[in-house]
Amino acid sequence: MRFGFNPNKDQLQQEAAYSHQLLIPVYIPNHEGYFKDSLEILKCCLTSLEKTVHPRTFITVVNNGSSETVRDYLDQQLAAGSIHELIHSTNIGKINAILKGLAGHDFELVTIADADVLFCSGWQEATYEIFKAFPKVGAVAPLSFPTFLKYYTAPVWADHWSSSALKFQEVQDPESLKAFAHSIGNEEFYKPAHLEKQLVLTRNGVAAGVGSGHFVNTYRGSLFDPLVGKHSPYQLGGDSETRFVDQPAMDADAYRLSTLKGYAFHMGNTLEPWMHEKLEGLEKSTIETVDIPWNKLRAKPLRNWWVKFIFKLLTRGPIWNRLLRSKGLSANQLRNY
């Protein structure tokens, strides 16, 4: 039986104290073999966040079926206020864990990161600069991906294929690219040409790399509105990350860009001394307000059809090669890009 009237009924939510959600799915089922160092890697990740983010950052962790040891550690982080939301679940798959973390929120910006990312000082400032400069940006990575110049970047090409604002420039931070290659166990991941030149889009004096990966990205939160309530059949891989994380920006005719300097490291699954060394020098963000224009991005089927058509024409063999040469690649770089 109910007595009285719930005082919260029909009351509007108070103005949010947070404007930027940072969402991390965590899957560490045991502490052997592949996962031997994963808990320590996770600790580095969360420590780097605590040391670098501004006060209006809301940190959500989704425990996707991890061990009791990991569960206890995350409970301690929540109790200490190091994270703001903790969701425990059985292993429902990486993308479904992300969707669970997005549900019930309406943040202007959402950063989705793997649990093995080490964030560097200034990563939010550098990311916000790109969001402010490019009204059509939908996703920004805090490190460059020169090889991803064709990966869901059709809107950039459709808008700027003939513009001098889009051209190849010298790579500003080749060491961050080499560090990423090392982290995935493939020192030859980037060819020499990738360490020399990358495709850059410039607007109002702000330059950004074309393309981004998906192990860490900051997105317009509205991109995920149609996806909440959906479900991926994959635990990991398949078309899940493509469909739910990479494709939404392109469907909304939005750009996928990246910072030219590296503001995050991919640690992988092996703890190395440099990780703790990096943590020592991190500094808190000084951002007090987030004044990025609120752009609600929505899928644009007709525009998307036209963009894909233009992109398909541009990327045909001979046309694509001439286009890349016109944007600043030498003949030798083109052969090895």
Side-chain angles (χ1 to χ4, degrees), residues 50 74-83:
E50 187 174 8
L74 292 175
D75 282 337
Q76 293 168 10
Q77 295 304 297
L78 181 65
S82 299
I83 60 179

Side-chain angles (χ1 to χ4, degrees), residues 142-161:
L143 71 166
S144 291
F145 292 86
T147 57
F148 279 20
L149 74 169
K150 290 172 65 176
Y151 187 71
Y152 289 104
T153 58
V156 174
W157 285 103
D159 288 348
H160 301 284
W161 68 271

Side-chain angles (χ1 to χ4, degrees), residues 128-282:
Y128 291 179
E129 182 180 42
I130 294 175
F131 274 103
K132 291 177 184 178
F134 299 91
K136 288 187 66 174
V137 71
V140 178
L143 71 166
S144 291
F145 292 86
T147 57
F148 279 20
L149 74 169
K150 290 172 65 176
Y151 187 71
Y152 289 104
T153 58
V156 174
W157 285 103
D159 288 348
H160 301 284
W161 68 271
S162 62
S163 170
S164 60
L166 182 67
K167 62 182 179 180
F168 282 93
Q169 297 183 14
E170 299 294 326
V171 171
Q172 286 192 15
D173 191 2
E175 293 306 314
S176 70
L177 302 184
K178 295 176 184 178
F180 176 75
H182 172 76
S183 74
I184 60 174
N186 182 3
E187 306 288 351
E188 307 301 320
F189 181 78
Y190 288 114
K191 299 176 182 178
H194 300 138
L195 301 175
E196 296 169 0
K197 292 281 189 73
Q198 71 178 108
L199 191 65
V200 173
L201 182 64
T202 303
R203 185 176 187 273
N204 294 337
V206 177
V210 174
S212 64
H214 49 234
F215 82 91
V216 54
N217 255 309
T218 299
Y219 303 87
R220 291 282 185 188
S222 57
L223 289 174
F224 300 113
D225 290 350
L227 300 179
V228 175
K230 302 292 185 180
H231 173 268
S232 170
Y234 294 97
Q235 291 282 345
L236 185 68
D239 68 347
S240 58
E241 287 186 291
T242 298
R243 175 186 170 195
F244 289 96
V245 179
D246 297 336
Q247 187 173 330
M250 194 185 79
D251 288 347
D253 192 32
Y255 301 164
R256 291 173 59 87
L257 302 175
S258 60
T259 60
L260 297 182
K261 293 183 179 180
Y263 289 92
F265 290 94
H266 179 250
M267 293 182 281
N269 67 334
T270 304
L271 190 68
E272 299 177 80
W274 66 264
M275 298 172 185
H276 285 113
E277 293 172 7
K278 290 289 183 184
L279 291 177
E280 290 297 322
L282 296 181

